[in-house]
Amino acid sequence: MGQAFQQYLKDHRNQHLEQLKEFLKIPSISSLSEHKADVKKAAEWLQHELSLVGMENVQIFETDGHPIVYADWLHADEKPTVLIYGHYDVQPVDPIDLWETPPFEPSIRDEKIFARGASDDKGQVFMHIKAVEALFQTMGRLPVNIKLIIEGEEEIGSPHLPGFVEEYRNLLKADFLVISDTGIIEKGKPSICYGLRGLCGLQIDVKGAKTDLHSGQFGGAVQNAAHALVELLASFHDQDGKVTVEGFYDKVLPLTEEEKKAFLALNTDEEQIREELGVPELFGEKGFNFNERTWVRPTLEINGMASGFQGEGIKTVLPSEAMAKITCRLVPDQDPEEIYNLLVKHIEKHKPKGVTVSVTPFDQGAPFLTPFDHPAIQAAGRAYEKVYGVPTAFTRSGGSIPIVADFDRILGLPVVLMGFGLPNENFHAPNEHFHLENFDKGMETICHYWLDISTLSLR
Amino acid sequence: MGQAFQQYLKDHRNQHLEQLKEFLKIPSISSLSEHKADVKKAAEWLQHELSLVGMENVQIFETDGHPIVYADWLHADEKPTVLIYGHYDVQPVDPIDLWETPPFEPSIRDEKIFARGASDDKGQVFMHIKAVEALFQTMGRLPVNIKLIIEGEEEIGSPHLPGFVEEYRNLLKADFLVISDTGIIEKGKPSICYGLRGLCGLQIDVKGAKTDLHSGQFGGAVQNAAHALVELLASFHDQDGKVTVEGFYDKVLPLTEEEKKAFLALNTDEEQIREELGVPELFGEKGFNFNERTWVRPTLEINGMASGFQGEGIKTVLPSEAMAKITCRLVPDQDPEEIYNLLVKHIEKHKPKGVTVSVTPFDQGAPFLTPFDHPAIQAAGRAYEKVYGVPTAFTRSGGSIPIVADFDRILGLPVVLMGFGLPNENFHAPNEHFHLENFDKGMETICHYWLDISTLSLR
């Protein structure tokens, strides 16, 4: 049965690449108002294409910004229902003179297609559509129920997506969500990221005297705002980098033995990482390796700080103000609001003498985890392996993807991040490209995945 | 005997003020090359004036910058020899539009003379010349031997003074040095500052990874340069603000009982200081009051620090660099070089893991102290009291005056800071002025001082 869609994809490869080029030619830059019509044109191109391949209920939902494209096919009866997310908007193209070929004139060189959006994310959206086409053309139907939601504002922070998802939560009901907007760890090595860290940010402002003071005249008798801030900031960690905020680690889920094994199987070369970063040694919480420290342990990082005189040379000033920006990376099951409150409590407890301290909250985002042993995760691993011929790596990521947290929060669905990009494909930069190897293998992987999913009971 | 010079000064007040105005009219701004000729003109004005009043050996010493004016009168035989220092150059006048009357058109209003240089320092230099004149005119001689050195580069950091003093150390030999370039603590309240703090500065640069990193991707596994700096900076003080650098306080001279009493007699209102500074509480080393903390205790102050993102909002960056500028205010008998070495040793000992730390030395200046009970200090106190009719306050200052340290280092002389300015006379700012009350009383004080000194044996 697999052979049929494989053959179909092979036979139609040139035609598909020409269609992809058409899609990539539309300069759907969501951040630039002069491209508003182009963004709309890309939505309409999708609408037309989705109808052509056999999707139903194809709709363009207008928002206060750029539209959201929806389509479904729900005739697989009691089979699982998959919600697929992608985006059709792209990043700006500056600096334009660094592009070897124009960003909106797609060009294939060395088995890579070069264009803005080639990997992020038009290429990957297009693959889902062509996987659907291949299955329809070779099976006459889809093995699972599929819902597609493709937005046009991802590159500007998806301002209207959460509202839309909230409003249409019934329409978007599914057994799990597949997001194809990421990548695999390296060429020929498929991987699934099943967990992300969350975020909790704040700014601390310390205020001492009304104005900066002469360090001779007042030094020694007035609290220096920089000293106060330093004392406060130093209280957040112990000497091994462990966060000392009371209760900070209380809700942190420990790794399962299976996860530990999966991470060790990655054979991460820490010495190579150290060398690439150019640091004398890696540094972090004792008892955890690099992957654990960045993926499954929460952090509290100073992102920036400032006080007093920063110019060249010396200025004997006693600074009256000092500022630090802090973000915590959170892991399941930490709650951003709860962590924020713990931080505020810590700051109050450690408030230095002789100054006032104020705290301003910044962005928050929940951490995300689809259980490693979730059938949709394991099936995705099998689908990759079938096509790439090597075991699928399982990873988490230390970063955040805000829309994942939004979907998780609103729909409460397990999420599978099934991406096909490669780390060096210049997304957001000049000469963005997409490896055709992953274009071809990716469509096959998707088809295998739906067939595998159709054998599972997910409800 | 006193009456004679008093009467003389009274009788010639208008003439003296007109002469002072002439001196103030010369725009001798040392920092601006277009005023080079004016600076020279001021030196020549002094040369002429010094000869007129009866000083001898009047010379203009050229330097690679602006000239130094010298004069002496050495016929008081075995009486003490006083070296008097002042400067005839002035600060720039920007912002010019904030001056109520033009800076180089001296104007008397409300018994104050307004002009650039009125109090800093032409007015005070002029007073010494007129005190000499009054004594010559009424006594036919001076009660002590006097040497005058008046430089033209004080406002640009006296680059050529130390070399000159070094070269002419024999010419400048004296029993003590009087510097009239400071002030008294408040109107009607004469004071003598007999000690200054020194200085030792450095910059600490912390370097982590090659570049700033994504706090999601690497946070938790790489030392954050800001964390490392904070940890290091926090190690410099205990929670009460005491410096924890080993050996830091070893050479600090304790206050004598007489000094303690003199400071308490100032009746410093700490609550008023707190309120003026706008801080919730004053803060410093336990067991010391405000004056002690700022005058006789050394400090280690962060003057500025910077790391990572300082703009608005949030940027989830893991900074690779962090910088802090630090100066210590030193007290007798701390040695700047020795303290610098203790700081470097401390930094090496507390160097955080996972980063490199480098240290750059900045300016150093020795602390200065003329013993409180030195006869020249006590005589100055008596001279002020005789004229102002109230006891003279004895203070130290938390700041530094680099030339004092230079004179001290090269000539090894006791220094008396006999100033007549008031704290609010806008030196270095628009509408600089000088209270004529202190102009009149100051000249009398100087005459009394020389008479008193002539009764002492200082060798």
Side-chain angles (χ1 to χ4, degrees), chain A residues 197 209-210 215-216 219 221-222 224 227 277 281 283 300-305 307 309 311 313 315 317 319 325 329 354 398, chain B residues 197 209-210 215-216 219 221-222 224 227 277 281 283 300-305 307 309 311 313 317 319 325 329 354 398:
Chain A
R197 291 200 286 193
K210 276 182 204 164
S215 79
V222 179
N224 177 319
H227 295 191
L277 294 175
E281 60 196 315
F283 177 79
L300 185 155
E301 297 282 342
I302 301 169
N303 305 120
M305 58 181 190
S307 183
F309 177 68
K315 188 178 177 188
V317 70
K325 290 167 189 283
R329 294 286 177 169
Chain B
R197 292 199 286 193
K210 277 184 206 164
S215 80
V222 179
N224 178 319
H227 294 191
L277 294 176
E281 61 196 314
F283 175 79
L300 186 157
E301 297 283 342
I302 301 169
N303 305 120
M305 57 180 189
S307 182
F309 178 69
V317 71
K325 288 166 191 284
R329 294 286 178 172

Side-chain angles (χ1 to χ4, degrees), chain A residues 224 226-227 307-317 319, chain B residues 200-205 229 233 300-306 322-328 360 362:
Chain A
N224 177 319
H227 295 191
S307 183
F309 177 68
Q310 302 184 14
E312 254 188 66
I314 196 175
K315 188 178 177 188
T316 51
V317 70
Chain B
C200 170
L202 57 83
Q203 178 165 327
I204 299 175
D205 286 280
L229 180 66
L233 293 175
L300 186 157
E301 297 283 342
I302 301 169
N303 305 120
M305 57 180 189
M323 174 282 289
K325 288 166 191 284
I326 286 175
T327 48
C328 294
T360 311
F362 283 147

Side-chain angles (χ1 to χ4, degrees), chain B residues 228-302:
Chain B
L229 180 66
V230 156
E231 187 187 319
L232 181 56
L233 293 175
S235 75
F236 282 121
H237 295 93
D238 70 12
Q239 285 205 317
D240 295 318
K242 199 175 163 87
V243 177
T244 50
V245 174
E246 215 183 307
F248 189 75
Y249 294 100
D250 283 2
K251 303 245 172 119
V252 173
L253 282 186
L255 270 188
T256 65
E257 285 309 312
E258 288 69 31
E259 289 179 284
K260 273 190 194 170
K261 265 186 227 157
F263 292 175
L264 286 175
L266 295 168
N267 282 318
T268 305
D269 186 342
E270 299 204 1
E271 173 54 21
Q272 191 189 330
I273 294 172
R274 186 204 64 73
E275 206 179 312
E276 280 172 10
L277 294 176
V279 289
E281 61 196 314
L282 293 176
F283 175 79
E285 257 187 290
K286 281 196 175 155
F288 298 94
N289 62 34
F290 181 86
N291 290 335
E292 291 165 352
R293 285 169 172 172
T294 54
W295 295 346
V296 302
R297 298 300 293 173
T299 66
L300 186 157
E301 297 283 342
I302 301 169

